[in-house]
Amino acid sequence: MMTIFTKQMPFLLLLLLSLTTFHRTRSSNDHKLVRCNEKDQETLLIFKKGINDSYGQISTWSTEKDCCAWEGVHCDNITGRVTELDLGNHGLTGEINLSILQLEFLSYLDLSWNDFDVINIPTTQNNITHASNLFYLDLSIYFFDTSTLHMDNLDWLYPLSSLKYLNLTGIDLHRETNWLQAVATLPSLLALQLSQCNVTNFIINPSVEYLNLSSLVTLDLSFNNITFKSPNWFFNLTKDLTYLDLSRTNIHGEILSSLLNLKKLRILDLSLNHLQGFVPDEISQLANIHHLDLFGNWLSGSNIPSIVANLSSLEHLNIGYNNFSGKISEITFSKLSNFEYIDLRSLNFVFQFDLNWVPPFQLQHLSLSNTNQGPNFPSWIYTQKSLQFLDLSSSGISLVDRNNFLSLIERIPYLSLSNNSITEDISNLTLKCDSLYLDHNNFTGGLPNISPMAIVVDLSYNSFSGSIPHSWKNLKYLYYINLWNNKLSGEALGHLSNWTRLDYLNLGENEFSGTIPIKLSQNLNYFILRSNQFEGTIPQQLFNLPYLFHLDLSHNKLSGPMPECAYNLTLMVTLPMNSHSYFVSFEWFTKGQDYYVDDDYSNRRTIDLSRNNLSGEVPSELYHLVQVQTLNLSHNNFIGTIPKVIGGMKNMESLDLSNNKFCGEIPQSMSLLSFLGYLNLSYNNFDGKIPIGTQLQSFNASSYIGNPKLCGAPLKNCTTKEGNHKTTKTSQENEDDDSIRESLFLGMGVGFAAGFWGICGSLFLIRKWRHAYYRFVDGVGDKLYVIFMVKLNSFRRN
């Protein structure tokens, strides 16, 4: 849309810009003849103080040099006053100080496409005493820039009565509730661009006397969240609009009837809103319109073909993703000799074109995806010699005119024929495509030669055979290649060292062979070699790719140990603030199943090394990749234990370590994997008891079978070998305790008997000892009797 806007700029604005450019060129050639005004120089230096100039773009701004010779500064060749400041796209950061508007003769100010952080609006700005000459002001930031400049109010606009062009695209204005009144006080305003400004309110009952937009020619409010319904009053304020962009602004209801009063309208963009109902027939009376975009609404009816047929000036038509019905034939387009762009995606039209029809136009862009075109390839498309973009994906095509078809596809830069049933051999072609989508067809033979400018190649789900052409080594701009599910063979990875920009590589489900090279693109996100004949070891360089987050080397003949390295897979450890994501298409294997993946799953963190001949212990560094969601090491020869640090992989959803030689106990920390939806530890040598925890007990016995020494829920309780072992041990301990007690009691008995008979036997056998014993007993008895009687008499006296 931005490109279209630039291309279709109203003539008056182009004239203004041309005059400005001429004036700037003339003044820049003559600036050495005059001296810069001191007051202007001081204002420029104040402006410079807040700027961070990392690229040295304004390093010339110093008092040692006349300010008329400074970068971006242009002066009047007679007066020496600064008239223009052009610093657009200079890589500047820091602060925009609007004190720069104090320059009395400034007519042109462009600070667009920089990376400023703050806009400083001086309190004195509203006290400008001179009449402003400024007619061009551009503070816009890059349309998809993630950083946002905030501006609380637009009061500073009031003195700028000469302003004709105002662009604040990308600046956050959500705190400015009176933006419409502010811009309406600019009587000379011709073009207003407030795209992506977070504008939310739209005044419902304005005062017509107060709001004067009669001069407005261009209005862009796209990518906001205004959520208004049919503000007919607004478009009664101006009759001269030629460009109107209200795309993605949450408009709902029927198409605004007041739009039909804009007889000079040339460009109308209402795409990506919630419009519904019929398209008014009166739109066909907008004789000047050459760009009509209603894409992505809920519009319906069968009258749109007849409306289009009457718009003789139409060049650009985008009405895809609506609920239109009816019939489209050559009659619809017979008067449209200026047509360049058609997008009818996902419409239920019945297409009935005469086989011999030759259109009166030459298209550059044609999209008929998800429409019913087949089974024959539309013959009228063969006549289009200027096509730069052709999308006929999912259109039911199976039959082509071979010669015409091959001639057509060979010359189109963007070609998408995905999801059809075309059977052709294109091995002798050299395709000019930079974006090529032929996936999900029946193409046979060898792979075609491709333009060295190619950036996207998707030939998956076909029957291509043979090896990758040698010429593909020259694809130095390639960032996406998908050859999944063909019959290709040979050593494919020798090309990788040349594909230095590669982001996505999918060679799965083929018969490729060879080894994985050491030199790989540092930009790789996806590396998929699944189900081939690759052999050798895994190079450690693969685990040091900072942007890699989907690695699938499963079902190959790889051998040897896992690399001992740092495992510097940054995107598997931390999630970036702005996660990279774009549409991808491949089979994603997890949780014991396979899924067809689109952009919803394009940033899943996956490592799948299953069904190879890998051996040795798994390096502990692998378990530190805490963002991994799917880990599959099954059907290899890995040994060793599972370390406790696996509990830190808290994003894990699918874990398969089955059919290896892992041993030892399952660590208790695995119960912390709260997102785990699939677990398979079967057929290893794990022992001990399965840790108790809701997570690990939620899986059935099949997740643990084949580990004879493993017990505990969901397997049998630990009463088998482990239980017998504990019972035997306890029995032995009890027997030992009984033996000790018996020995103790026996010793005590023997000692008592020996002492008793030693003393009593002596008294019985020796008379002297016996008499002495009796005298001793009598003496002790007499003493006890005397003590007792003394105590008793003392008690009685008391």
Side-chain angles (χ1 to χ4, degrees), residues 124-356:
T124 58
Q125 184 59 41
N126 292 329
N127 298 323
I128 295 178
T129 56
H130 63 271
S132 173
N133 294 306
L134 193 68
F135 77 86
Y136 184 101
L137 176 59
D138 191 346
L139 303 180
S140 61
I141 62 176
Y142 180 50
F143 189 69
F144 295 105
D145 199 336
T146 55
S147 62
T148 303
L149 273 174
H150 294 266
M151 188 179 289
D152 293 345
N153 66 78
L154 296 176
D155 295 343
W156 55 275
L157 288 175
Y158 294 140
L160 308 180
S161 57
S162 298
L163 199 62
K164 291 179 170 60
Y165 179 95
L166 176 62
N167 189 349
L168 302 179
T169 293
I171 296 177
D172 191 342
L173 297 176
H174 80 276
R175 295 180 182 176
E176 173 54 274
T177 57
N178 296 317
W179 64 271
L180 188 53
Q181 289 96 323
V183 299
T185 59
L186 303 174
S188 304
L189 194 63
L190 296 175
L192 174 63
Q193 290 183 264
L194 297 180
S195 178
Q196 202 183 18
C197 287
N198 204 14
V199 173
T200 56
N201 74 306
F202 210 92
I203 302 172
I204 304 301
N205 295 307
S207 168
V208 177
E209 293 77 19
Y210 179 67
L211 294 178
N212 182 10
L213 298 173
S214 59
S215 62
L216 203 61
V217 173
T218 297
L219 177 61
D220 183 358
L221 296 176
S222 60
F223 287 82
N224 284 294
N225 190 29
I226 299 176
T227 63
F228 55 72
K229 180 178 181 180
S230 300
N232 288 318
W233 56 267
F234 179 78
F235 299 108
N236 290 329
L237 300 178
T238 177
K239 302 294 184 182
D240 294 329
L241 273 183
T242 62
Y243 179 100
L244 178 60
D245 189 349
L246 296 176
S247 60
R248 194 169 286 185
T249 52
N250 260 337
I251 306 175
H252 54 281
E254 297 181 351
I255 288 184
L256 319 177
S257 60
S258 60
L259 291 176
L260 306 178
N261 298 324
L262 303 176
K263 301 300 182 181
K264 297 182 180 180
L265 202 60
R266 301 180 66 217
I267 298 174
L268 175 61
D269 192 342
L270 301 176
S271 62
L272 299 168
N273 282 296
H274 304 289
L275 294 171
Q276 53 190 344
F278 298 107
V279 177
D281 290 331
E282 290 79 5
I283 283 187
S284 62
Q285 300 173 12
L286 299 178
N288 295 307
I289 197 163
H290 67 264
H291 179 116
L292 178 62
D293 196 335
L294 304 176
F295 176 84
N297 282 283
W298 300 335
L299 296 166
S300 57
S302 59
N303 63 335
I304 192 70
S306 61
I307 291 174
V308 171
N310 291 317
L311 297 175
S312 58
S313 298
L314 204 59
E315 298 177 5
H316 179 116
L317 177 67
N318 189 354
I319 58 174
Y321 282 97
N322 278 285
N323 298 319
F324 296 127
S325 58
K327 183 179 75 171
I328 285 188
S329 66
E330 62 272 12
I331 297 174
T332 306
F333 304 122
S334 61
K335 300 178 183 178
L336 305 179
S337 58
N338 298 317
F339 239 167
E340 295 180 353
Y341 185 111
I342 300 178
D343 191 330
L344 305 179
R345 279 177 286 173
S346 299
L347 294 178
N348 295 320
F349 288 130
V350 176
F351 294 86
Q352 295 181 348
F353 292 98
D354 187 276
L355 292 177
N356 298 317

Side-chain angles (χ1 to χ4, degrees), residues 64-176:
E64 298 177 358
K65 194 173 184 179
D66 188 89
C67 76
C68 291
W70 292 355
E71 171 70 23
V73 178
H74 304 277
C75 299
D76 185 275
N77 63 336
I78 297 175
T79 64
R81 302 304 297 266
V82 174
T83 58
E84 300 176 19
L85 181 58
D86 186 0
L87 294 175
N89 197 20
H90 273 56
L92 305 177
T93 61
E95 173 188 88
I96 296 178
N97 191 335
L98 288 182
S99 64
I100 196 67
L101 298 178
Q102 297 285 351
L103 293 170
E104 296 181 43
F105 294 91
L106 187 67
S107 62
Y108 183 99
L109 176 58
D110 186 355
L111 301 176
S112 63
W113 284 42
N114 286 292
D115 196 18
F116 291 110
D117 306 312
V118 179
I119 296 179
N120 180 9
I121 305 175
T123 55
T124 58
Q125 184 59 41
N126 292 329
N127 298 323
I128 295 178
T129 56
H130 63 271
S132 173
N133 294 306
L134 193 68
F135 77 86
Y136 184 101
L137 176 59
D138 191 346
L139 303 180
S140 61
I141 62 176
Y142 180 50
F143 189 69
F144 295 105
D145 199 336
T146 55
S147 62
T148 303
L149 273 174
H150 294 266
M151 188 179 289
D152 293 345
N153 66 78
L154 296 176
D155 295 343
W156 55 275
L157 288 175
Y158 294 140
L160 308 180
S161 57
S162 298
L163 199 62
K164 291 179 170 60
Y165 179 95
L166 176 62
N167 189 349
L168 302 179
T169 293
I171 296 177
D172 191 342
L173 297 176
H174 80 276
R175 295 180 182 176
E176 173 54 274

Side-chain angles (χ1 to χ4, degrees), residues 353-405:
F353 292 98
D354 187 276
L355 292 177
N356 298 317
W357 177 56
V358 178
F361 49 76
Q362 284 292 319
L363 295 175
Q364 294 185 13
H365 180 113
L366 176 61
S367 179
L368 297 174
S369 64
N370 292 293
T371 61
N372 187 12
Q373 300 294 322
N376 292 294
F377 191 96
S379 58
W380 67 270
I381 299 178
Y382 294 138
T383 69
Q384 301 302 294
K385 307 299 183 183
S386 301
L387 275 175
Q388 303 295 306
F389 182 106
L390 177 61
D391 187 352
L392 289 173
S393 58
S394 303
S395 55
I397 296 173
S398 58
L399 303 175
V400 300
D401 181 325
R402 175 174 172 78
N403 292 333
N404 284 326
F405 176 75

